Structure formats: C-alpha cells, structure tokens
Amino acid sequence: MTDHHPEDVPLVAPSADPEDRAVEAALRPKNLDDFVGQKRVRRQLSLVLEASRLRGRSADHVLLSGPPGLGKTTLAMIIAAEMNAPLRITSGPAIQHAGDLAAILSSLTEGEVLFLDEIHRMSRPAEEMLYMAMEDFRVDIIVGKGPGATAIPLELPPFTLVGATTRAGLLPGPLRDRFGFTGHLEFYSTEELELVLRRSAMLMDMKVSSASFAEIAGRSRGTPRIANRLLRRVRDWALVHGVDLIDARSASAALDMYEVDARGLDRLDRSVLTALITKFNGGPVGLSTLAIAVGEEPETVETVAEPYLVREGMLGRTPRGRIATAAAWKHLGLIMPATVAAAMPEDLFSVAPEDLMGSESALDSWARPDP
C-alpha cells in the first residue's frame, strides 16, 4: 500500500484527499438550517425527518446521489444529528462479502443511522442480503457449506440506511426501490458557493473581501469541496506573502499561481483542450490517443478532466471520439477555422452542456457513423 499525498490529487478534483477530510470535519454544518444550497433536497428531507420524529420511529431509508464533493456525507451526518441517533460509517468497496455486511448489521443499535458510501460498489451477495435487511429488518446467516448448509434468521433492530452514490444508474432497481426517499444533489451556483466560503472563512478566522469570495467561487466548478480547498490555498498564499485582508487581486494572484483559471480549468483541463485543438485540429480523436498526447492515463482524462469540460460545453464526447467546441477555441484565445466550424451543425452551439452527455445529443447524431 502506497502513501497518499495531497499533491496526488489535482487542486480542482472533486474527490477528497486526507487533508480535505480533516478540514471538512471542522467545517461541516451540524444541522439542516446551517447547510447551504440544495434547497429542494433540504426541504424534502426536513419533512421526512420531522414526520419520523412525530411518529417516534426511525426515518425511512435515504438515497443521496450526485457528483462528489456536494455534501452527501455531510447530509448523512446531519440526518443522524437531527434524529439524535448514533452514526455508523462504511463504504461499498469495504463490503465484499455478505458476512462483512452481516457483521455490521448485527451490531447496530435501535434507531442507528448506517451511512453506506459508494453503495453502487458493494458486492452482489451483500447487496441481496441488504434487500431483506432494509425491508424486513432481518438477515439470514448461512451456517455450513454445501447440502448441509442452514440459514439462521437474525432479527435486526429498526435502523436507517443512508446510501450515497455518484452513479445512481449502476444501482439495481430492487435496491433503489427500497429507499423511502431519494435526493439528487445538484451543482452549486456561484452565489451559493459564496455563502459556503463566507461560513468557512469565518470558521478559519480569515479576513476576506466580498470580491474575493466571488473570485474563488467562480473558479470552484460548482463544488463546495473544491471551493473550500481553493480557499485554503488562498489562505496559504496570503500567509506567505504577509497579506492580512485578502482582496480580489490577492485571491486571483494566488489561484493563478496554482494554475486555476477564471473558469475553474486547471493545467490538465487546458492541456486536454490544447492537445485536442493544436494536434488534432479540434477532433474527433479517441480517448487513448488524446491521453497519450497529454501524457496522462485515459482514466485520468475521462474521470478528472472530461466531466467538467463537457458540462462547460467545451468538449464533446461522440462515437467517433472527443471534439473541441467553439467555446474551447475561444477560451484558449484561438480562432476556429472556417472548415472546422462548417463541419459542425449550427444547433450544436445551442445545446445545453448537460445534454452533451446523452447518447442522442446533437453531437452524437452529427458524429454517428453512417449505417
């Protein structure tokens, strides 16, 4: 097992490194009233929890889905706090056998909240055991092997399962249907991220101007985890340079030093777009070829850089390969050649970024090979 260093994680990666986890624990809100953003989910979840308290019963099982860094773990902790119940935390990859899950479930106390992160990565045998545990609060423990194996039923105390997933589509229907409430977390607006940053700066005893909050929020990719990480890097820059009050110019200088530009793109993002445009004339080009051109693994390009570039409408994923849109050329200060522009349909530029991910987007229909 290799040691993990914070520098192994890109500054604008939505995943958490050990430093993030330590700081997030101190910055996390403790109740729904303090939780910023996700108004729809907060309102619905508040109703679910209040109804459970009035009935004097454990809350329904909750499934939280959405990209990393938006607050799924924080909401799980808030659910436990609001229900005044203990919290048990585990993850799907840690449960590889049904026995692993049985050991956890059998040790739960009445009303306890079990948070299962990355629930889509749980093993199939454990998943099937979870069906019965969620619905009937019972599991069957298999003793012995072969024809002599016996199933011993084990009653479980009522508990609340909070599952979190970044890929809800990978969850089987029978598991999804057993959750009483499903909430999908959306990316944050710049205004919401400013509120997150103000709260974090107050907790970290930082003096930051309003313009600085807007500067940092605009580069945070709509993700609170990234916003807080950038805020800490700005704090470091201010400390080293002896700056007491962080203004917009200081924040901009700090983030420019870390190569995070005004749109939130970092070195890898710009490398992908630059290679796509300068080496392949805007594409289409295959993922593996593009990854080699930027000196990264295909998985890194696909999971770290592409989601945000697609969401910003700068990159398209098509059956023939990746292509750079007019927005990418413009962001890099380049002019798209008329021949490249002519090859793209006019309605491409009116397609919402989230629609570019679908298989029936304007990009896909344009790039689909002829039958």
Side-chain angles (χ1 to χ4, degrees), residues 44-62 78-80 82-85 110-114 134 137 158-162 178-181:
Q44 295 170 347
L45 190 55
S46 176
L47 183 65
V48 170
L49 298 179
E50 180 62 25
S52 300
R53 284 195 295 266
L54 292 174
R55 290 198 308 267
R57 297 177 56 186
S58 298
D60 284 345
H61 303 303
V62 174
I78 287 175
I79 289 172
E82 295 273 357
M83 295 303 295
N84 196 25
E110 185 170 350
E112 190 164 354
V113 175
L114 173 62
M134 293 174 68
F137 297 110
F159 67 95
T160 297
L161 174 68
V162 180
R178 282 170 168 80
F179 286 97
F181 171 75

Side-chain angles (χ1 to χ4, degrees), residues 186-205:
E186 308 283 351
F187 285 104
Y188 282 57
S189 66
T190 302
E191 293 74 20
E192 289 172 333
L193 286 176
E194 286 184 45
L195 294 176
V196 171
L197 289 167
R198 286 180 185 276
R199 181 179 181 275
S200 298
M202 182 184 67
L203 292 173
M204 290 191 287
D205 198 25

